[in-house]
Amino acid sequence: MTERKPPGVDFESFVDRQIRQATARGDFSELPGFGKPLASLDAPYDELWWVKDKMHREGFAVLPPALALRKEAEDALEAALAARTEQRARTVLTEINEKIRAALRMPPPGPPLGLTEFDVDEVLGTWRASHPDGAA
């Protein structure tokens, strides 16, 4: 908005005219979410909605690092057991074991970690039992 409100013109009509002109030019049609309903329209009002939205967009975790790693370890175990191939399950377990190993060397702040590395062969044995046709 580079144009100043002329004296004697009602502020509301001045703003309404600028919005109407911008809509006619199509300035609003390229905005993200244009034409989509608001996601939180039916949710109860939360004063910190914008903080939570920003944290979600930025990928910021509100859990302490130790609890976040525990959650990630649980998710990795589920992903390994649901993997389509044994190689994919082994890769998931190896990646999470590396993170657990690093956390055991330098414990993160917060509550105790309470994790040990996964026994890859044991978990893969469980995987093979649930995937008899995919064991290779």
Side-chain angles (χ1 to χ4, degrees):
M1 177 172 120
T2 58
E3 185 181 346
R4 295 183 67 90
K5 180 181 89 59
V9 175
D10 184 31
F11 184 76
E12 186 175 349
S13 62
F14 175 71
V15 172
D16 288 339
R17 181 173 50 87
Q18 287 188 322
I19 292 173
R20 188 177 57 257
Q21 289 172 348
T23 302
R25 286 191 307 265
D27 291 348
F28 300 129
S29 61
E30 297 297 322
L31 294 175
F34 177 77
K36 297 178 185 170
L38 296 174
S40 61
L41 196 58
D42 296 329
Y45 180 71
D46 182 9
E47 291 179 358
L48 298 176
W49 66 269
W50 62 275
V51 173
K52 293 175 183 174
D53 187 47
K54 176 73 171 173
M55 290 171 57
H56 177 71
R57 283 194 319 265
E58 297 292 327
F60 182 77
V62 294
L63 289 176
L67 295 180
L69 185 58
R70 283 191 211 172
K71 174 71 173 128
E72 189 176 352
E74 289 176 13
D75 293 344
L77 181 59
E78 288 178 17
L81 293 174
R84 291 181 176 253
T85 65
E86 183 175 337
Q87 182 58 39
R88 178 64 190 146
R90 184 177 297 276
T91 302
V92 168
L93 292 170
T94 303
E95 289 172 359
I96 195 64
N97 275 347
E98 289 173 8
K99 291 181 181 183
I100 293 171
R101 204 173 303 123
L104 289 173
R105 280 194 302 266
M106 288 287 290
L113 189 59
L115 278 177
T116 57
E117 295 180 48
F118 290 108
D119 183 353
V120 176
D121 293 328
E122 181 182 325
V123 175
L124 288 179
T126 305
W127 183 89
R128 285 185 201 104
S130 64
H131 297 80
D133 56 333

